Amino acid sequence: MSNLKDNTTSTPSKVSCEANILKADTLAPSAFTPVPDPGTYKLPVVVSEFDVFINLESVIHLNTPAFEIKRIDKEVFLNEARFVPTVRNEDGTVTAGIIFLKGYLRKNIEYASRTCKVVPGSASIGGVINDTTVQIPFLTSTTAPINISPIIIPSPANETTRYFDKHALGKNLKESDRRTLEYLNEPIFAEIVLTEVIDADINEFGYPLAHVANEEEFTKFTDKAVIRIRIKLLQKQQVTIPTQTESC
């Protein structure tokens, strides 16, 4: 038999264990107060829906000279739609507000560019189709009509209670009571329902092509656009929907 000792057995350290339970409490249940009529659902409610018209004028520079614009694809994007309540009734109901809009009109422009020299007597132009994509920014605001009033409750001012110090014969600087109440309202968010763009592209910077009647070449042009955006403002609200009872 082997006389080797089991090396897996550890020798107790001479250092004392200082781990301990410092405090242990059994907490009593906290009291609660139910909220009366909280509603059965929390759903997006349509606060307002309206059309806003935005007028834009810009000068667009193309990558290469063009003699004709073939097609322009247009899309409208919003980066920001922020509603700010401005008018309230005596009971605090919001009746009007301003919406701030920030976005851009994206245009993909397809145009014909000349690739050959016009010679006398040919009366023809040859070229290729190029494209340029631009983003025309806009920043505006408008009054938003209210269909269903949003629920926006402002938080009251903080309250501070001070006590009299009989030794100092004045305010006790060592003791005070404070009360802070904050209402966390559901934000009002926007959705785009539809967009419409009516624009006019005006060649104000062209120069005539030699040997071809009524043809011009240009690298920039003026764009005048009217944008219509139908915006839907929504807010999540707690609503009560009565359940339907089966008739006997």
Side-chain angles (χ1 to χ4, degrees), residues 206-222:
Y207 47 89
L209 288 174
H211 313 299
V212 183
N214 300 322
E215 296 289 347
E216 289 189 343
E217 206 167 37
F218 56 92
T219 55
K220 59 182 178 179
F221 63 93
T222 300

Side-chain angles (χ1 to χ4, degrees), residues 5-59:
K5 294 183 179 180
D6 187 0
N7 293 328
T8 61
T9 304
S10 60
T11 303
S13 174
K14 296 181 180 181
V15 180
S16 300
C17 297
E18 298 182 357
N20 197 2
I21 299 175
L22 300 180
K23 185 179 180 181
D25 293 327
T26 300
L27 301 179
S30 300
F32 72 93
T33 303
V35 177
D37 191 19
T40 54
Y41 299 95
K42 192 171 187 179
L43 303 173
V45 175
V46 179
V47 173
S48 177
E49 186 168 345
F50 55 93
D51 290 346
V52 58
F53 293 86
I54 303 172
N55 302 321
L56 293 177
E57 181 173 338
S58 59
V59 176

Side-chain angles (χ1 to χ4, degrees), residues 71-90:
R71 186 178 64 175
I72 301 179
D73 290 333
K74 301 172 281 287
E75 297 91 21
V76 179
F77 294 89
L78 283 181
N79 302 118
E80 178 185 346
R82 181 67 164 84
F83 176 81
V84 178
T86 55
V87 181
R88 296 175 181 266
N89 288 339
E90 294 181 357

Side-chain angles (χ1 to χ4, degrees), residues 45-53 82-87 93-101 141-150 188-189 229-235:
V45 175
V46 179
V47 173
S48 177
E49 186 168 345
F50 55 93
D51 290 346
V52 58
F53 293 86
R82 181 67 164 84
F83 176 81
V84 178
T86 55
V87 181
T93 302
V94 177
T95 58
I98 300 292
I99 184 170
F100 294 86
L101 301 174
S141 63
T142 186
T143 301
I146 300 297
N147 299 330
I148 297 178
S149 178
I188 297 174
F189 58 97
I229 309 176
R230 179 165 296 174
I231 296 176
K232 189 192 300 288
L233 297 180
L234 303 104
Q235 183 192 41

